[in-house]
């Protein structure tokens, strides 16, 4: 380990309007170390990485590289120093091949680049065909391309933003092996995550962020997940009450050989999907996004019409040809994965957002909006679901992801649905809100609601569901009993190794 | 150095009101320079443009006369605009409304049945609506952009007008001028104030404003239209029918423009003539946006634009301004409005250049 830290941040602060995103952050990263930056959503992790990668500039504070103070005005400045970053959402062109994508950033002849890609692949376990088209690659392979593209710039520090959130368990293992090889090669790695077990397994140092400040600097191998979580959220980790699953009752939702052609070249066609959902049970659909999750959710909600009415049955009625409003009348409710722009209109107040789906709750009188009812409903939702907001007049677009999700979930629950579809319930939601959301769903189940959950978070599915399916390339696996299935088993379905 | 537009956290209500005022001030400033460069007395020009309309009762009544069609059409268009349905061809629907209304007095020049005037208004309304709905059908059936279709159909409407005025509808005793017979008295709108030309079409326009206000701000249908405009995917999620929004947005725009067209021939013109294509349909787009697409704001903006119309007329006479200069002023006003409006929603950030 050299005398100077490779990267050192000293009292770095960044403010956006009224939000203090980072406050007097001190951070030291050494060569040959895998350093975790741990924190909930909104803790300031992304802002910190943007400062290090030159996307944003700090208001106050200093950044040192090998002991020299530097100003990073743009990412290319950071790259010139030797900082590479792999983003959570990939920035590859799907219509180009791997080597073409790489050549957009790295100068050189195609043949030489292809050779370099293959060499790096051998060296660090990042095997990928340089001439494959990106849209044919799996998520794990795409991530490898992103990492290779960074490595070709010979970085000394590699930043990985939530790299495992999109990967099946098997690919996570492989990624960790690669990262350990890079570490042995002397590279410094900043590993951003909120998954505590992974951090304990991989990292030698962890900086914990909470509310924009560093609240702890620990060796994660010496702490258990519980104490790390406590550092991260500032209090005891809340438990989800595991009520005993009730005996499922009557059938509420049924998919009969549901097939649907893809709408665009990059969509996914669904093929022969069968599913049964009964009252008093939560059924989960695991799988990595992009395997038909969006298409399936839109078909069940009615945003996309099925090709035949009988392909989808809600409350025993054939509804494939009906729109979302008609399905809601039968007792269906839906929480979509995108909150802003789909589950809620960002420019409208919360009260007006209640009207979006809850208008049937006596909010209209001869078509005219009854503002009193609308506000009362909204206020009740805010209180009952612990939505942190100034009130019903607050704009939906101004709220944090977790709060807005609580509002949308609350609105749909207050419709007293008999059957509910919840898509990615805790995407971008902090741990506190995620726990509250899961508990609400379990309560709904206990009251006899039938709930279908589509999620990428396997822990979440195992926690709530009695039955699990896996969606892979538009095919749905048979129902697996959650109590008798392991995450590895699910993982095999997720990568198509089992059918 | 690079410029970037960054969305502001919140747009203040005060700024929403000051934007039009600021835009007016900037437009005045820019046109002062322009008029001076033309070698005209800029002070006199602005005096004529902005003050003269208020200096006599007659010129003020002319402002109200102009205001009626602008207000009516703009209210109809704004409903569509808020649902992202861009009817750019209200001029065409206005002309077709005028044509349909004129058919009655043209074919029954001596007809003294009492229903003449209501029937003309109804014909105009129907004509404008149907003409706009052609674009709705093409959009919902084939996905054709209503922006292009309505605009092209406005050009078609002008040619239909020319054909009728030069051919079958030409007044046989009109010295070969391209115009119809003068309409009988029972085909003319009642005058509101004696001694002026202001007729009851202003009442139509104000009623339309009340209707638009109630619908857009307080009715579920208006809420659906606004949702479709702000977040189309949220409208789909809620199950609001997207085609219905297109039919409604275009239909109401065409309806308003058709009534305005009928009122124009049954009002100040008193016959169908080529000058019915006075550009109200296009000016109403500006009116709708300067009014912030808000029914109440549009009442104010239609008044403002009418003042500039009348002021422009007097400016061409008293200050010797070319007609084009008046149109440039209107364009400047819209330009500065869009500019100030953008600056309310976004702030500009400069990328500082710092050596690495």
């Amino acid at each position: 380990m050299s005398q100077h830290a490779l990267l050192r941040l000293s009292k770095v602060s960044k403010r956006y309007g009224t939000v203090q995103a980072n406050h007097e952050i001190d951070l030291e990263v050494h060569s040959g170390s895998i350093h975790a930056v741990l924190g909930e959503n909104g803790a300031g992790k992304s802002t910190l990485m943007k400062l290090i990668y030159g996307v944003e500039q700090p208001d106050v504070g200093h950044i040192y590289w090998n002991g020299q103070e530097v100003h990073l005005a743009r990412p290319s400045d950071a790259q010139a120093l030797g900082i590479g970053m792999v983003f959570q959402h990939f920035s590859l062109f799907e219509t180009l091949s791997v080597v073409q994508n790489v050549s957009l950033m790295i100068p050189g002849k195609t043949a030489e680049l292809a050779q370099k890609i293959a060499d790096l692949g051998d060296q660090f376990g990042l095997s990928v065909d340089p001439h494959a088209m990106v849209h044919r690659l799996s998520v794990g392979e795409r991530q490898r391309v992103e990492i290779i593209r960074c490595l070709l710039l010979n970085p000394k520090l590699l930043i990985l933003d939530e790299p495992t959130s999109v990967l099946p368990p098997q690919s996570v293992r492989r990624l960790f092996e690669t990262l350990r090889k890079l570490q042995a090669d002397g590279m410094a790695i900043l590993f951003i995550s909120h998954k505590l077990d992974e951090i304990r397994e991989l990292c030698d140092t962890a900086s914990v962020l909470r509310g924009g400040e560093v609240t702890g600097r620990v060796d994660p191998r010496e702490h258990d997940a519980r104490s790390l979580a406590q550092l991260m959220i500032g209090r005891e980790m809340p438990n989800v009450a595991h009520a005993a699953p009730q005996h499922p009752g009557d059938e509420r939702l049924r998919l009969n050989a549901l097939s649907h052609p893809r709408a665009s070249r990059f969509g996914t066609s669904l093929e022969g999907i069968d599913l049964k959902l009964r009252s008093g049970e939560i059924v989960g659909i695991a799988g990595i996004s992009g395997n038909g999750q969006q298409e399936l959710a839109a078909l069940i909600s009615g945003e996309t019409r099925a090709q035949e009415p009988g392909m989808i049955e809600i409350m025993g009625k054939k509804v494939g040809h009906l729109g979302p409003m008609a399905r809601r009348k039968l007792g269906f409710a839906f929480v979509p994965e995108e909150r802003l722009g789909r589950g809620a209109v960002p420019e409208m107040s919360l009260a007006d957002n209640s009207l979006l789906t809850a208008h049937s709750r006596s909010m209209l009188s001869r078509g005219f909006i009854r503002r009193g009812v609308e506000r009362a409903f909204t206020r009740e939702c805010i209180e009952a679901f612990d939505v942190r907001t100034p009130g019903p007049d607050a704009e939906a677009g101004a709220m944090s992801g977790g709060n807005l999700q609580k509002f949308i979930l609350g609105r749909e629950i207050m419709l007293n649905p008999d059957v509910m579809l919840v898509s990615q319930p805790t995407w971008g939601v902090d741990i506190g809100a995620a726990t509250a959301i899961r508990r609400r769903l379990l309560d709904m189940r206990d009251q006899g609601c039938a709930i279908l959950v589509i999620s990428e978070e396997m822990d979440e599915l195992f926690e709530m569901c009695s039955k699990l399916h896996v969606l892979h390339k538009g095919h749905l696996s048979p129902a697996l009993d959650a109590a008798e299935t392991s995450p590895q088993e699910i993982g095999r379905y997720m990568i198509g190794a089992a059918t | 150095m690079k410029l970037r537009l960054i969305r502001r956290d919140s747009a203040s209500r005060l700024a929403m009101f000051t934007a039009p005022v600021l835009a007016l001030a900037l437009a005045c400033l820019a046109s002062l320079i322009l008029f001076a460069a033309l070698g005209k007395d800029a002070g006199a020009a602005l005096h004529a443009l902005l003050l003269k309309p208020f200096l006599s009762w007659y010129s003020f009544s002319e402002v109200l006369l102009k205001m009626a069609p602008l207000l009516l059409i703009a209210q109809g268009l704004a409903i569509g605009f808020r649902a992202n349905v861009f009817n750019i061809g209200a001029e065409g629907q206005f002309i077709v409304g005028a044509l349909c209304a004129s058919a009655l007095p043209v074919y029954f020049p001596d007809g003294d049945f009492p229903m003449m005037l209501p029937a003309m208004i109804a014909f105009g309304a129907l004509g404008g609506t149907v003409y706009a709905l052609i674009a709705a059908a093409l959009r919902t059936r084939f996905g054709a952009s209503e922006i292009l279709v309505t605009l092209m159909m406005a050009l078609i409407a002008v040619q239909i007008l020319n054909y009728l005025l030069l051919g079958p509808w030409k007044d046989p005793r009109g010295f070969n001028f391209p115009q119809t017979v003068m309409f009988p008295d029972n085909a003319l709108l009642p005058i509101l104030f004696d001694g002026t030309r202001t007729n009851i079409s202003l009442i139509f326009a104000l009623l339309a404003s009340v209707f638009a206000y109630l619908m857009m701000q307080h009715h579920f249908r208006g809420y659906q239209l606004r949702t479709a405009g702000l977040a189309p995917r949220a409208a789909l999620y809620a199950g609001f029918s997207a085609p219905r929004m297109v039919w409604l947005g275009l239909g109401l725009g065409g309806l308003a423009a058709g009534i305005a067209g009928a009122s124009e021939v049954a009002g100040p013109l008193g016959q169908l003539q080529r000058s019915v294509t006075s550009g109200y349909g296009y000016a109403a787009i500006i009116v709708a946006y300067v009014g912030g697409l808000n029914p109440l704001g549009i009442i104010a903006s239609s008044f403002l634009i009418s003042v500039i119309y009348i002021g422009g007329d007097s400016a061409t006479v008293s200050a010797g301004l070319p007609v084009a200069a008046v149109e440039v002023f209107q364009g400047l006003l819209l330009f500065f409005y869009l500019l100030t409006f953008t600056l309310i929603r976004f702030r500009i950030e400069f990328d500082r250049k710092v050596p690495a």
Side-chain angles (χ1 to χ4, degrees):
Chain A
M1 207 172 283
S2 61
Q3 208 173 351
H4 289 298
L6 179 66
L7 174 78
R8 187 161 74 84
L9 270 64
S10 165
K11 301 247 177 293
V12 166
S13 297
K14 177 76 182 175
R15 172 184 282 277
Y16 295 105
T18 55
V19 181
Q20 185 78 50
N22 281 167
H23 183 62
E24 300 201 340
I25 302 257
D26 291 325
L27 186 76
E28 276 191 18
V29 186
H30 294 271
S31 298
S33 152
I34 302 185
H35 189 128
V37 175
L38 177 63
E40 291 191 272
N41 284 295
K45 288 177 300 188
S46 306
T47 305
L48 187 60
M49 293 313 121
K50 282 181 185 165
L51 298 180
I52 295 174
Y53 197 54
V55 180
E56 302 261 5
Q57 288 71 45
D59 301 330
V60 244
H62 307 277
I63 300 177
Y64 301 90
W65 182 257
N66 278 325
Q68 298 280 314
E69 179 161 10
V70 288
H71 293 280
L72 307 170
R74 57 184 65 80
S76 54
D77 297 349
Q79 283 164 9
L81 288 179
I83 301 176
M85 181 153 179
V86 176
F87 290 91
Q88 188 177 358
H89 299 285
F90 303 146
S91 50
L92 298 172
F93 291 97
E94 303 209 325
T95 47
L96 299 181
S97 72
V98 170
V99 64
Q100 283 169 330
N101 263 291
V102 169
S103 69
L104 290 175
M105 258 177 84
I106 321 275
K109 286 187 181 144
T110 310
E112 287 170 18
L113 282 177
Q115 187 55 46
K116 279 186 190 168
I117 291 170
D119 291 347
L120 276 173
D122 290 343
Q123 196 180 345
F124 296 109
L126 291 162
S127 62
V128 58
D129 174 9
H131 299 290
M133 299 300 284
V134 167
H135 68 89
R136 291 184 171 277
L137 300 183
S138 72
V139 188
E141 287 172 315
R142 288 182 200 203
Q143 190 176 53
R144 277 175 234 153
V145 177
E146 293 262 355
I147 296 175
I148 288 172
R149 192 162 67 170
C150 280
L151 293 181
L152 282 169
L153 290 168
N154 293 318
K156 298 183 181 70
L157 170 68
L158 186 64
I159 307 173
L160 296 151
D161 187 8
E162 303 268 0
T164 60
S165 64
V166 292
L167 297 181
Q170 285 83 347
S171 306
V172 170
R173 299 257 67 77
R174 242 184 116 159
L175 172 69
F176 282 10
E177 282 162 28
T178 299
L179 294 182
R180 289 205 184 90
K181 282 181 187 157
L182 290 169
Q183 178 188 23
D185 218 40
M187 187 168 320
I189 295 170
L190 261 177
F191 186 88
I192 305 162
S193 180
H194 63 262
K195 292 187 178 163
L196 307 168
D197 294 329
E198 291 177 356
I199 287 173
R200 290 183 56 235
E201 183 187 334
L202 184 70
C203 305
D204 47 58
T205 320
S207 295
V208 186
L209 248 61
R210 185 170 80 234
E213 298 187 41
V214 175
T215 54
R217 225 172 255 109
V218 296
D219 184 336
R221 292 165 299 193
E222 293 167 5
H223 288 70
D224 62 8
R226 214 173 168 78
S227 64
L228 282 179
Q230 207 171 334
L231 278 175
M232 192 160 97
I233 61 175
R235 58 195 141 83
E236 277 285 309
M237 183 85 157
N239 271 322
V240 171
H242 265 287
Q246 305 207 324
H247 291 293
D250 52 318
E251 197 170 278
R252 296 277 170 88
L253 172 73
R254 187 177 179 142
L255 306 180
N256 299 314
L258 172 65
S259 296
H260 204 79
R262 59 186 178 184
S264 76
R265 232 180 113 188
F266 303 114
T268 308
S269 356
L270 301 179
E271 279 160 54
I273 290 181
D274 289 300
L275 184 139
K276 282 179 198 166
L277 177 66
R278 296 195 288 175
S279 81
E281 73 174 354
I282 302 182
V283 172
I285 296 183
I288 299 151
S289 278
N291 275 291
Q293 277 82 353
Q294 286 178 17
E295 288 84 355
L296 181 62
L299 277 163
I300 297 176
S301 73
E303 287 159 278
T304 311
R305 305 290 200 277
Q307 289 178 316
E308 283 169 36
M311 283 179 170
I312 302 169
E313 289 177 31
I314 289 176
M315 306 302 286
K317 289 199 174 61
K318 294 179 177 176
V319 298
H321 59 298
L322 297 178
M325 258 200 228
R327 296 189 197 188
R328 280 208 182 83
K329 279 199 184 108
L330 293 172
F332 173 78
F334 173 38
V335 179
E337 69 261 33
E338 301 112 308
R339 281 143 222 162
L340 284 177
R342 186 159 166 213
V345 184
E347 294 90 345
M348 285 188 182
S349 69
L350 286 186
D352 274 353
N353 269 302
S354 296
L355 200 59
L356 197 61
T357 58
H359 49 83
S360 55
R361 310 284 291 175
S362 18
M363 281 187 198
L364 300 176
S365 153
R366 292 162 188 257
F368 282 94
I369 300 161
R370 296 167 71 187
R371 300 285 178 198
V373 181
E374 187 193 69
R375 291 179 67 86
F377 178 96
T378 310
R379 208 171 275 129
E380 197 187 326
C381 181
I382 290 172
E383 273 171 33
F385 292 85
D386 187 30
V387 182
R388 317 260 163 86
T389 171
D393 295 322
E395 276 188 14
M399 295 172 69
S400 76
N403 266 319
L404 189 59
Q405 181 71 339
K406 283 196 272 185
F407 169 77
I408 294 173
L409 185 80
R411 178 186 71 196
E412 299 300 303
I413 286 179
M414 281 171 70
L415 297 174
N416 273 329
D418 294 314
V419 50
M420 204 167 159
L421 169 61
V422 187
S423 189
Q424 312 294 356
T426 57
W427 252 2
V429 170
D430 62 68
I431 288 193
T435 314
I437 286 167
R438 286 176 204 147
R439 194 174 295 158
R440 286 288 178 180
L441 290 175
L442 290 168
D443 287 349
M444 286 293 287
R445 176 199 68 185
D446 293 343
Q447 287 159 26
C449 185
I451 304 175
L452 183 64
V453 177
I454 300 177
S455 176
E456 276 187 340
E457 299 273 345
M458 216 176 312
D459 299 344
E460 169 173 279
L461 291 174
F462 272 103
E463 192 175 303
M464 292 194 296
C465 305
S466 52
K467 276 195 289 177
L468 289 174
H469 293 265
V470 183
L471 190 59
H472 176 68
K473 291 192 173 165
H475 291 274
L476 193 70
S477 76
L480 306 164
D481 192 324
E484 295 166 10
T485 313
S486 67
Q488 281 67 32
E489 173 82 11
I490 301 288
R492 274 197 287 282
Y493 281 101
M494 278 165 74
I495 57 175
T499 45
Chain B
M1 191 166 63
K2 273 198 294 187
L3 293 177
R4 281 192 297 180
L5 282 178
I6 312 284
R7 201 186 167 103
R8 289 180 196 273
D9 296 336
S10 64
S12 75
R13 252 166 214 280
L14 181 71
M16 299 294 256
F17 285 108
T18 50
V21 178
L22 190 65
L24 180 64
L26 285 170
C28 286
L29 192 69
S31 44
L32 272 175
I33 297 166
L34 180 77
F35 296 160
L38 284 171
K40 309 291 180 191
D41 180 350
L46 276 189
H47 176 264
L49 263 171
L50 295 173
L51 286 180
K52 268 217 176 144
F54 297 98
L55 297 181
S56 79
W57 166 236
Y58 184 76
S59 51
F60 186 70
S61 75
E62 285 291 298
V63 170
L64 297 180
L65 178 71
K66 288 267 180 200
M67 181 178 162
L70 285 177
L71 177 57
L72 186 56
I73 302 171
Q75 293 289 15
L77 290 183
I79 291 171
F81 291 165
R82 288 185 85 168
N84 279 355
V85 175
F86 296 105
N87 177 0
I88 304 300
E91 183 76 8
Q93 295 133 34
F94 178 86
I95 293 170
V96 171
L99 289 176
C100 293
S102 302
L104 279 172
V106 165
Y107 289 111
F108 306 99
D110 311 315
D112 55 352
F113 42 93
M115 290 305 289
M116 173 73 107
L117 189 61
M120 284 171 67
I121 302 294
F123 269 48
L126 190 68
T129 309
V130 170
Y131 204 63
L133 289 185
I134 296 173
L138 293 175
R139 158 88 187 263
T140 51
R141 188 81 184 79
F142 302 108
S145 161
E146 77 282 7
I147 300 175
L148 297 176
V149 173
T150 52
L151 188 61
M152 291 191 290
M153 287 185 52
L155 305 178
I156 296 173
V158 174
Q159 297 311 318
I160 300 174
L161 173 75
N162 283 338
Y163 164 73
L164 290 173
L165 288 181
L166 294 167
W169 285 13
K170 189 162 65 182
D171 180 4
R173 281 168 292 175
F175 306 101
N176 224 13
F177 278 106
Q179 57 196 30
T180 65
V181 292
M182 292 301 293
F183 293 174
D185 281 353
N186 68 340
L188 296 180
L189 289 167
I191 298 294
L192 267 186
F193 309 109
D194 279 342
T196 70
R197 302 199 294 163
T198 314
N199 59 50
I200 62 163
S201 63
L202 184 63
I203 308 283
F204 298 163
L206 291 172
L207 285 177
S209 304
V210 173
F211 173 81
Y213 172 76
L214 289 177
M215 175 166 116
M216 294 313 288
Q217 311 301 122
H218 294 291
H219 196 275
F220 192 47
R221 186 67 73 204
Y223 171 83
Q224 294 185 342
L225 286 161
R226 282 189 286 137
T227 305
L230 291 171
R233 284 160 59 66
L236 185 66
Y237 160 74
F240 306 156
S241 153
R244 188 183 291 167
M245 301 301 141
V246 174
W247 288 103
L248 201 63
L250 279 165
L252 288 176
L255 177 79
I259 295 176
S263 304
E264 192 66 11
V265 288
L269 296 181
Q271 64 183 158
L272 185 63
Q273 57 189 46
R274 269 179 171 177
S275 65
V276 77
T277 63
S278 53
Y280 284 132
Y282 299 119
I285 300 170
I286 303 179
V287 171
Y289 274 103
V290 172
L293 301 185
N294 178 301
L296 302 178
I298 290 171
I299 297 181
S301 65
S302 64
F303 180 73
L304 174 72
I305 301 274
S306 308
V307 167
I308 295 167
Y309 258 111
I310 300 300
D313 284 349
S314 67
T316 53
V317 179
S318 61
L321 278 185
V323 179
V326 177
E327 287 167 359
V328 166
F329 181 77
Q330 290 170 4
L332 282 172
L333 187 62
L334 182 66
F335 172 77
F336 283 115
Y337 177 73
L338 293 175
L339 183 73
T340 49
F341 198 73
T342 307
L343 290 180
I344 286 175
R345 287 210 172 151
F346 301 89
R347 62 192 163 81
I348 295 180
E349 214 177 70
F350 298 90
D351 271 1
R352 288 161 297 163
K353 196 148 201 164
V354 185

